[in-house]
């Protein structure tokens, strides 16, 4: 029986727009055994869920009027079965526990948990009752429940776990299964994705470099516990906890994305152990209750005084919250950020003073060391944004299926159909690009020609991070508008989704940073652009609008001798075209022609619109409507 930790606290319940059981919109038959298994899981979980449920039989007869034409609360959605694009990239043989997770999380209870975790935001406790410094953050129980279920399904660990039948090999589809789990969890609540994503992305960096430091730190911070599926919220030394998480702290007040401008200093304390003393600050340190952090700081030695500040590269350090001797590492949390969205997750400003850190990698090579972790979190930013788009579409479609205006359901009205279909195309293209990015990262571990694959994966990650995250605020707003005033009140899920939407475009490299990274990748690794063009040429002739768009890209990047200044000036235009062409190619390869033709016509064709719902006339509306979640 599927079980989850459910709250028993008496709290007000809201009649909130949350997802319910969906119709199966697939025409082909599924295996009878698979259908029966999923049916049992649904019934099993729903029968055990006795905590958060929508109010029963609200009074519709008021003193002055009768309440009619109201959208019913949505109680369950199978987040796997109802998502055709998701299923295309994660067929049954690769789905692992994803199907089970999609059923368990797609309930009123878990959406309500997300709401409660954001309503009751984290609080900072710098001192205990006696005035002693502790620097701990307390969270609402709903946040801990969300973290627990995320770790139970291995969002942070599945990519690095060994195969059950061969402990010497890792999961060949691990990154895809990680992305799929994060995609599901982020539709429920995105805040817990931050520590889970950083743990996923930071593990390979620590696995590679921490073994070259001190045996004391290795023993006191067992890396295998980063792969534990047990959530341990306690602030205790890592060696006695059942599960660990890690975070990172790079940006400072004066530099932001320009980490070379950092002023945090590192003084060597023990050469043989590569232990340093850190002094300085970090302007953004998310999830400060993680058990350890990757931190950038400038090593202070004679060599650094011979270079200009512009040429100094920071080094990367591992900073645990607890030291090998069982004492707290000085880690002074100054305050928690009062953020627009992502409010369930604590983001903090921290100061280091006599704080111990262990050098990872070479001196003055910290950006190169930490970039692997950044690449992982950029993947997750794209996937998390695709999840927000999808959930916005779910909310909008449910509302349109049940709300009437001018005598007809919204879903029956032509203009609303246009808007929903446009949102569908945007959402499915985002899901396709995010999941393909994950499969590409899997390929870097599973194929022999890894250099070319890695170059391609790097540029695809930057493209996905830029474009999906950039499109999310506009997409979620349009979904919110489909609900009208009902979507603008806090009892709805839409305000939380909308506030979350801009975040991933800012974190882990803003839009401009990602565009410049795309140019840098093409210049530093020309094989990345060559791999991109090779991938695109394989489907040449499949769609006239895509062929024309690719020709424009080739003329810009391969034939015109543009200066670096001119390339930088038009970096957003280049990144946009690369992203749209790549999304179109993925839809052509994996989706029905109705979908790919509609996407190419509406995004690359001469009659493309500038707002959602402004679609060309050659789109098959009726067939696309069948792909909506309800």
């Amino acid at each position: 029986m599927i079980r989850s930790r459910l709250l028993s606290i008496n709290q007000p319940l809201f009649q909130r727009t949350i997802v319910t059981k969906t119709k199966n919109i697939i025409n082909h038959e599924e295996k009878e055994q698979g259908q029966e298994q999923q049916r049992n899981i649904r019934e099993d979980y729903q029968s055990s869920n006795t905590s958060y449920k929508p109010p029963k039989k609200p009074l519709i007869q008021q003193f002055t009027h009768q309440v009619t034409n109201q959208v019913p609360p949505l109680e369950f959605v199978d987040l796997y079965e109802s998502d055709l694009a998701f299923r295309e990239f994660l067929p049954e043989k690769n789905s692992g526990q994803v199907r089970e997770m999609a059923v368990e999380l797609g309930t009123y209870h878990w959406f309500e948990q997300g709401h409660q975790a954001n309503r009751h935001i984290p609080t900072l406790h710098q001192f205990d009752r006696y005035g002693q410094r502790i620097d701990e953050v307390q969270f609402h129980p709903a946040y801990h429940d969300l973290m627990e279920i995320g770790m139970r399904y291995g969002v942070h660990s599945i990519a690095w776990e060994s195969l059950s039948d061969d402990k010497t090999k890792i999961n060949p589809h691990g990154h895809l299964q990680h992305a799929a789990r994060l995609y599901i969890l982020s539709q429920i609540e995105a805040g817990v994705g931050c520590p889970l994503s950083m743990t996923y992305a930071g593990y390979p960096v620590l696995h590679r470099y921490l073994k070259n430091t001190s045996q004391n730190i290795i023993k006191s911070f067992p890396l295998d516990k980063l792969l534990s599926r047990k959530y341990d919220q306690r602030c205790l030394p890592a060696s006695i906890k059942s599960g660990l998480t890690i975070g990172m702290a790079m940006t400072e007040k004066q530099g932001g994305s320009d980490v070379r401008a950092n002023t945090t200093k590192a003084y060597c304390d023990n050469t043989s152990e590569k232990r340093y003393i850190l002094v300085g600050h970090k302007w953004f340190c998310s999830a400060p209750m993680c058990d350890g952090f990757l931190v950038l700081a400038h090593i202070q030695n004679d060599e650094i005084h011979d270079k200009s500040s512009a040429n100094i590269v920071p080094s990367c350090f591992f900073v645990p919250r607890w030291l090998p001797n069982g004492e707290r590492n000085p880690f002074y949390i100054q305050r928690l950020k009062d953020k627009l969205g992502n409010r369930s997750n604590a983001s903090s400003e921290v100061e280091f003073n006599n704080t111990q850190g262990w050098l990872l990698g070479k001196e003055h090579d910290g950006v190169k060391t930490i970039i692997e972790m950044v690449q992982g979190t950029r993947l997750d930013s794209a996937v998390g944004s695709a999840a927000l788009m999808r959930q916005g579409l779910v909310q909008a479609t449910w509302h349109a299926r049940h709300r009437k205006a001018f005598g007809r359901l919204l879903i029956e009205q032509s203009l609303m159909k246009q808007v929903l279909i446009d949102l569908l195309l945007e959402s499915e293209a985002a899901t396709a690009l995010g999941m393909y990015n994950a499969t590409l990262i899997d390929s870097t571990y599973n194929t022999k020609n890894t250099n070319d694959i890695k170059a391609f994966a790097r540029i695809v990650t930057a493209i996905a991070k830029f474009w999906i995250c950039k499109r999310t605020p506009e997409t979620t707003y349009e979904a919110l508008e489909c609900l009208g005033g009902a979507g603008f009140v806090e009892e709805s899920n839409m305000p939380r989704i909308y506030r979350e939407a801009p975040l991933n475009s800012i974190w882990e490299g803003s839009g401009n940073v990602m565009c410049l990274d795309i140019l840098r990748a093409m210049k530093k690794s020309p094989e990345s652009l060559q791999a991109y063009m090779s991938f695109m040429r394989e489907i040449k002739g499949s769609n006239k609008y895509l062929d024309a768009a690719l020709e424009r890209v080739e003329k810009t990047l391969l034939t015109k001798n543009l200066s670096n200044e001119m390339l930088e000036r038009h970096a957003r235009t280049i990144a946009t075209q690369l992203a749209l062409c790549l999304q179109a190619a993925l839809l052509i390869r994996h989706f029905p022609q109705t979908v790919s033709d509609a996407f190419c016509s509406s995004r690359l064709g001469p009659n493309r619109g500038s707002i959602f719902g402004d679609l060309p006339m050659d789109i098959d509306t009726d067939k696309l409507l069948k792909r909506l979640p309800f």
Side-chain angles (χ1 to χ4, degrees):
M1 177 179 288
I2 298 176
R3 297 183 175 89
S4 60
R5 297 167 57 209
L6 304 177
L7 295 178
S8 58
I9 301 173
N10 292 323
Q11 296 177 356
L13 300 179
F14 301 92
Q15 183 168 336
R16 184 172 288 103
T17 302
I18 302 189
V19 200
T20 192
K21 187 176 292 185
T22 65
K23 296 184 294 183
N24 183 2
I25 56 178
I26 309 299
N27 293 325
H28 64 81
E29 294 183 358
E30 293 187 349
K31 294 180 181 179
E32 188 64 32
Q33 183 178 359
Q35 286 182 326
E36 183 66 24
Q37 181 182 10
Q38 289 301 306
R39 189 156 47 245
N40 290 340
I41 291 174
R42 295 172 193 172
E43 294 174 356
D44 189 17
Y45 181 71
Q46 287 178 292
S47 65
S48 67
N49 185 357
T50 57
S51 185
Y52 287 126
K53 289 185 177 181
K56 299 297 184 183
K57 296 183 178 180
L59 295 175
I60 61 174
Q61 186 63 54
Q62 306 296 322
F63 291 109
T64 60
H65 64 285
Q66 186 175 13
V67 182
T68 62
N69 191 27
Q70 297 304 300
V71 177
L74 310 180
E75 301 183 44
F76 177 82
V77 65
D78 188 326
L79 296 170
Y80 177 85
E81 289 291 335
S82 64
D83 193 335
L84 302 189
F86 185 42
R87 289 173 54 177
E88 183 64 39
F89 281 85
L90 203 82
E92 186 174 350
K93 64 179 180 179
N94 292 339
S95 62
Q97 288 185 305
V98 171
R99 294 165 67 92
E100 182 180 323
M101 183 183 186
V103 171
E104 181 170 359
L105 281 176
T107 62
Y108 187 96
H109 167 75
W110 285 109
F111 281 98
E112 182 65 26
Q113 293 277 57
H115 178 79
Q116 295 296 336
N118 279 270
R119 186 183 183 199
H120 304 280
I121 61 176
T123 56
L124 172 62
H125 297 264
Q126 293 174 306
F127 302 91
D128 68 6
R129 59 188 291 190
Y130 303 106
Q132 301 170 109
R133 194 84 191 218
I134 56 174
D135 294 280
E136 295 183 8
V137 179
Q138 292 185 0
F139 298 85
H140 187 266
Y143 175 89
H144 293 305
D145 279 3
L146 288 159
M147 280 292 295
E148 188 276 332
I149 198 168
M151 293 189 73
R152 172 154 59 85
Y153 279 108
V155 173
H156 64 301
S157 61
I158 186 65
W160 314 113
E161 291 175 356
S162 301
L163 295 175
S164 57
D165 58 347
D166 188 349
K167 297 299 182 182
T168 63
K169 297 180 179 179
I170 61 172
N171 187 341
H173 307 291
H175 295 278
L176 175 60
Q177 292 188 9
H178 157 75
R181 285 161 165 79
L182 182 69
Y183 178 78
I184 292 170
L185 183 61
S186 297
Q187 291 186 61
I188 308 303
E189 166 51 29
V192 294
C194 181
L196 296 175
S197 173
M198 291 190 294
T199 303
Y200 150 75
Y203 173 79
V205 179
L206 288 179
H207 186 264
R208 179 176 296 111
Y209 294 111
L210 197 62
K211 61 186 177 183
N212 298 323
T213 57
S214 161
Q215 286 299 313
N216 289 331
I217 189 64
I218 293 171
K219 291 178 180 179
S220 66
F221 200 92
L223 292 185
D224 61 306
K225 290 187 178 182
L226 289 172
L227 303 184
S228 169
R229 293 199 176 192
K230 296 179 180 179
Y231 173 56
D232 192 337
Q233 68 186 65
R234 299 173 298 170
C235 186
L236 291 173
S239 59
I240 60 177
K241 293 184 66 173
S242 57
L244 304 175
T245 57
I246 56 175
M248 63 178 168
M250 296 193 293
T251 58
E252 298 182 3
K253 297 173 184 176
Q254 71 287 344
S257 297
D258 182 8
V259 295
R260 291 174 182 263
N262 285 4
T263 59
T264 298
K265 298 177 175 60
Y267 301 89
C268 187
D269 183 50
N270 187 309
T271 303
S272 62
E273 293 191 358
K274 296 186 176 182
R275 188 176 71 228
Y276 287 72
I277 301 298
L278 273 57
V279 178
H281 83 282
K282 293 299 170 184
W283 179 238
F284 249 103
C285 175
S286 285
M289 288 307 291
C290 286
D291 300 285
F293 299 85
L294 272 65
V295 176
L296 294 180
H298 287 293
I299 292 178
Q300 303 299 296
N301 52 28
D302 294 336
E303 181 182 353
I304 200 171
H305 298 295
D306 298 331
K307 296 182 179 180
S308 66
S309 58
N311 295 324
I312 298 173
V313 179
S315 304
C316 183
F317 298 87
F318 175 63
V319 176
R321 284 297 307 261
W322 292 79
L323 297 172
N325 63 5
E327 299 293 326
R328 291 177 186 258
N329 199 7
F331 189 89
Y332 301 109
I333 304 176
Q334 301 303 296
R335 64 172 178 170
L336 300 184
K337 301 285 192 180
D338 187 7
K339 297 174 295 184
L340 169 68
N342 199 253
R343 295 178 68 79
S344 68
N345 173 43
S347 297
S348 64
E349 299 166 25
V350 299
E351 288 191 357
F352 306 126
N353 188 3
N354 201 35
T355 304
Q356 295 185 31
W358 281 258
L359 178 65
L360 301 176
K362 299 178 181 179
E363 293 184 359
H364 314 301
D365 205 20
V367 175
K368 183 178 178 181
T369 301
I370 207 171
I371 196 65
E372 183 175 0
M373 181 175 184
V374 173
Q375 285 292 90
T377 53
R378 285 177 175 175
L379 164 69
D380 289 355
S381 293
V383 170
S385 292
L388 295 177
M389 288 191 196
R390 177 65 189 181
Q391 190 51 221
L393 175 66
V394 166
Q395 301 289 324
T397 305
W398 176 257
H399 186 86
R401 288 285 184 192
H402 293 84
R403 179 75 168 179
K404 287 184 177 181
F406 310 110
R408 289 187 298 161
L409 290 171
L410 291 175
I411 195 68
E412 296 172 351
Q413 303 188 29
S414 297
L415 189 52
M416 179 59 78
K417 290 180 183 179
Q418 292 285 91
V419 173
L420 291 174
I421 288 171
D422 216 350
L423 291 173
L424 172 76
L425 292 172
E426 194 72 35
S427 173
E428 293 201 337
T431 299
L433 181 52
M435 295 303 149
Y436 176 72
N437 192 4
T439 62
L440 203 55
I441 294 174
D442 276 325
S443 297
T444 65
Y445 293 89
N446 300 331
T447 59
K448 294 181 180 180
N449 192 14
T450 56
N451 289 333
D452 289 346
I453 294 293
K454 284 182 178 179
F456 189 31
R458 180 187 171 186
I459 195 172
V460 168
T461 300
I463 290 170
K465 166 67 168 68
F466 164 71
W467 185 244
I468 298 175
C469 299
K470 187 62 64 180
R471 295 292 293 163
T472 304
E474 184 177 354
T475 306
T476 54
Y477 158 72
E478 197 68 50
L480 185 154
E481 189 177 289
C482 290
L483 278 70
F488 200 68
V489 295
E490 289 295 335
E491 285 86 352
S492 162
N493 276 339
M494 289 310 303
R496 178 157 56 99
I497 294 173
Y498 184 60
R499 286 194 298 267
E500 191 78 25
L503 175 66
N504 287 325
S505 193
I506 299 170
W507 281 7
E508 313 306 340
S510 63
N512 284 352
V513 170
M514 298 316 303
C515 290
L516 296 176
D517 193 55
I518 292 170
L519 295 182
R520 192 179 303 112
M522 292 189 297
K523 183 177 181 180
K524 185 177 180 180
S525 305
E527 63 271 21
S528 63
L529 180 58
Q530 294 170 5
Y532 175 92
M533 297 309 301
S534 296
F535 180 82
M536 300 304 298
R537 289 182 184 124
E538 291 176 4
I539 47 89
K540 189 174 183 180
S542 300
N543 185 281
K544 61 182 180 180
Y545 300 130
L546 177 56
D547 288 346
L550 275 177
E551 186 176 346
R552 292 192 295 270
V553 170
E554 287 188 278
K555 286 181 178 179
T556 301
L557 297 178
L558 300 181
T559 60
K560 288 185 178 180
N561 189 20
L562 297 177
S563 65
N564 289 335
E565 192 278 334
M566 187 63 71
L567 282 171
E568 184 173 327
R569 184 190 303 179
H570 296 284
R572 284 197 173 210
T573 303
I574 293 170
T576 297
Q577 289 302 308
L578 290 172
L580 286 172
C581 289
L582 182 55
Q583 285 183 319
L586 290 170
L587 298 187
I588 288 172
R589 285 169 177 261
H590 296 279
F591 288 41
Q593 187 174 349
T594 304
V595 179
S596 59
D597 282 352
F599 183 87
C600 291
S601 178
S602 60
R603 270 65 177 172
L604 300 173
N607 298 318
R608 56 187 178 274
S610 57
I611 61 173
F612 280 105
D614 184 8
L615 292 172
M617 294 184 180
D618 59 353
I619 289 177
D620 192 335
T621 302
D622 292 335
K623 286 186 178 180
L624 290 170
L625 281 172
K626 295 177 181 178
R627 297 183 67 84
L628 290 173
F630 306 107

